[in-house]
């Protein structure tokens, strides 16, 4: 089969190519769920998502109110799968339970959607799932899903711009809502260029795109996909949430230049210090605190440790 033929027969995952507008929070929940799926899972399996996992793996802190709104919307969202015989309408969840005061929620998936989620997971390695969580733009997350399907071919199919906008819910198929980013300059600046930058900076994929014209108007987009050296080792999803949290804590300390073995052991051995470390890194990444000259020293001050302690 030649290259052009392989492009034509490429199978598309129903969840990836469905028309929906998930927020960054909802996409994070989806990727967490994918990381937890195992073939040996029993029917009606419940999956736990711990809040400290979210912070450890993404650097973002989702609060219960945000999560409740996110799962409510995800649960009511319908996916439509079409084949030669039928249209099938599917929903994501059977149940979502928030455990008060325990810092986690339990999710039971719809049994009918599970095969499609396993099919989607097959597009990702553990590293790629972690990469997807590191991307912050919801459009970049969706485009990363698309690019991951075509990573072994080198380029995606050509997406008609209307089709592409419908997939990302930038356009209402019924025409009741105004179309977003109608000007091609806005689509490039707010969606495509941000996606290229975030995917190339945070994942093992390097992507680019070309916009295709008919006459004087742009009518289609195609993405080019190559693999690059991973930026960092993945967090092993097979580890327990606590193991993953401590692994990320060590990486945070290393990124700040705090490498003294005794100091690292002191911090990661104290749950309160680890929690304060994650809060500090979240504030640092979101520019809520400024520490351009000596973030390590500021962290040690925040943790109540002697700033004179050697950090390297």
């Amino acid at each position: 089969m030649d290259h052009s033929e392989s492009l034509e027969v490429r199978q598309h995952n129903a969840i990836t190519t469905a028309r929906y507008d998930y927020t960054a929070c909802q996409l994070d929940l989806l990727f967490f769920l994918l990381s937890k799926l195992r073939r040996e899972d029993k029917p009606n399996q419940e999956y736990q998502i711990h809040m400290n996992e979210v912070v450890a793996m993404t650097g973002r802190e989702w609060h219960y109110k945000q999560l409740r709104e996110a799962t409510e919307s995800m649960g009511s969202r319908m996916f439509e799968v079409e084949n030669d015989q039928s249209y099938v309408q599917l929903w994501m969840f059977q149940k979502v339970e928030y455990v008060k005061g325990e810092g986690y929620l339990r999710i039971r998936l719809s049994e009918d959607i599970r095969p499609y989620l396993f099919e989607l997971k097959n597009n990702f390695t553990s590293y790629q799932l972690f990469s997807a969580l590191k991307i912050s733009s919801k459009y970049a997350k969706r485009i990363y899903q698309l690019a991951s399907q075509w990573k072994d071919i080198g380029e995606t199919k050509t997406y008609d711009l209307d089709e592409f906008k419908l997939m990302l819910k930038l356009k209402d198929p019924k025409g009741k809502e105004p179309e977003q980013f109608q000007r091609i300059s806005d689509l490039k600046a707010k969606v495509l260029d941000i996606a290229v930058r975030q995917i190339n900076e945070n994942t093992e994929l390097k992507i680019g795109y070309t916009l295709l014209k008919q006459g004087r108007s742009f009518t289609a987009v195609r993405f080019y996909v190559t693999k690059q050296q991973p930026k960092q080792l993945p967090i092993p999803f097979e580890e327990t949430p606590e193991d993953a949290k401590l692994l990320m804590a060590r990486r945070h300390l290393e990124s700040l230049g705090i490498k003294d073995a005794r100091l690292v052991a002191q911090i990661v051995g104290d749950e309160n210090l680890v929690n304060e470390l994650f809060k500090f890194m979240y504030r640092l990444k979101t520019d809520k605190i400024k520490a351009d000259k000596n973030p390590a020293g500021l962290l040690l001050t925040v943790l109540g440790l002697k700033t004179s302690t050697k950090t390297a």
Side-chain angles (χ1 to χ4, degrees):
M1 180 181 296
D2 66 22
H3 181 73
S4 61
E5 287 176 334
S6 66
L7 280 173
E8 291 302 317
V9 301
R10 186 72 171 178
Q11 294 298 308
H12 299 289
N13 176 267
I15 304 302
T16 298
T17 55
R19 300 172 179 177
Y20 61 94
D21 179 22
Y22 269 11
T23 65
C25 179
Q26 289 168 331
L27 286 166
D28 280 351
L29 286 171
L30 174 62
F31 289 126
F32 266 109
L33 285 169
L34 291 179
S35 75
K36 294 177 179 298
L37 291 179
R38 302 289 183 272
R39 285 294 177 187
E40 61 272 18
D41 290 347
K42 300 175 182 177
N44 293 322
Q45 178 89 25
E46 290 191 351
Y47 301 93
Q48 291 188 7
I49 294 181
H50 292 255
M51 297 304 101
N52 58 15
E53 282 184 284
V54 178
V55 177
M57 293 186 187
T58 69
R60 293 183 293 278
E61 198 168 0
W62 302 117
H63 300 292
Y64 266 130
K65 183 176 184 294
Q66 292 172 294
L67 290 168
R68 286 178 66 178
E69 291 173 353
T71 54
E72 178 183 355
S73 177
M74 292 173 76
S76 63
R77 195 72 48 85
M78 182 265 289
F79 295 92
E80 192 167 61
V81 181
E82 179 183 0
N83 56 37
D84 293 337
Q85 290 78 38
S86 65
Y87 294 96
V88 181
Q89 294 179 336
L90 302 167
W91 286 264
M92 185 70 73
F93 303 134
Q94 279 189 41
K95 182 187 79 169
V96 179
E97 179 181 359
Y98 289 83
V99 183
K100 294 181 179 179
E102 296 295 327
Y104 69 91
L105 58 135
R106 284 195 287 258
I107 293 176
R108 185 183 301 161
L109 294 167
S110 157
E111 281 302 307
D112 288 325
I113 208 166
R114 283 166 57 86
Y116 297 97
L117 294 180
F118 275 110
E119 181 188 346
L120 178 56
K121 182 175 182 176
N122 288 340
N123 290 320
F124 295 95
T125 64
S126 289
Y127 178 83
Q128 290 172 307
L129 285 169
F130 178 58
S131 297
L133 290 166
K134 298 297 288 184
I135 300 168
S136 60
S137 163
K138 65 179 182 180
Y139 302 124
K141 288 175 185 285
R142 290 297 312 278
I143 291 170
Y144 182 65
Q145 285 180 289
L146 291 176
S148 292
Q149 285 191 290
W150 301 86
K151 61 184 179 290
D152 56 336
I153 291 180
E155 65 182 65
T156 70
K157 61 169 278 191
T158 298
Y159 295 98
D160 178 88
L161 275 185
D162 283 337
E163 174 192 9
F164 180 71
K165 287 184 174 182
L166 287 169
M167 284 171 54
L168 270 62
K169 271 299 179 77
L170 299 173
K171 187 173 183 177
D172 182 358
K174 297 181 180 179
K176 294 181 179 180
E177 299 290 333
E179 181 179 338
Q180 299 182 58
F181 312 131
Q182 291 189 49
R183 294 192 306 176
I184 201 69
S185 58
D186 290 337
L187 183 68
K188 289 176 65 176
K190 303 291 179 58
V191 177
L192 298 172
D193 291 344
I194 289 175
V196 167
R197 185 175 71 251
Q198 290 196 3
I199 290 169
N200 291 350
E201 288 178 356
N202 293 286
T203 82
E204 85 303 343
L205 298 184
K206 186 174 181 63
I207 75 164
Y209 69 89
T210 185
L211 289 162
L212 308 176
K213 272 186 171 181
Q214 278 190 356
R216 301 177 66 178
S217 300
F218 290 100
T219 58
V221 62
R222 181 190 303 126
F223 295 93
Y224 299 94
V225 190
T226 58
K227 297 177 184 179
Q228 60 180 343
Q229 188 66 28
K231 300 287 192 298
Q232 57 186 315
L233 293 174
I235 286 181
F237 280 108
E238 291 72 21
E239 299 287 349
T240 66
E242 195 60 30
D243 289 337
K245 183 177 181 181
L246 294 179
L247 178 58
M248 182 56 84
R250 291 180 180 277
R251 288 181 182 166
H252 283 327
L253 293 172
E254 184 176 356
S255 72
L256 295 173
I258 299 175
K259 300 176 182 178
D260 180 83
R262 290 186 179 182
L263 184 57
V264 170
Q266 180 182 359
I267 294 171
V268 299
D270 186 318
E271 183 178 358
N272 291 329
L273 293 181
V274 170
N275 290 335
E276 289 301 318
L277 167 63
F278 283 121
K279 289 179 183 178
F280 177 87
M281 295 302 296
Y282 175 74
R283 295 189 189 108
L284 188 64
K285 289 180 180 180
T286 55
D287 293 325
K288 293 182 179 178
I289 56 174
K290 300 291 184 183
D292 295 336
K293 294 183 179 179
N294 186 16
L298 179 57
L299 170 67
L300 295 178
T301 300
V302 169
L303 297 183
L305 303 174
K306 291 182 179 180
T307 56
S308 59
T309 304
K310 184 168 65 175
T311 61

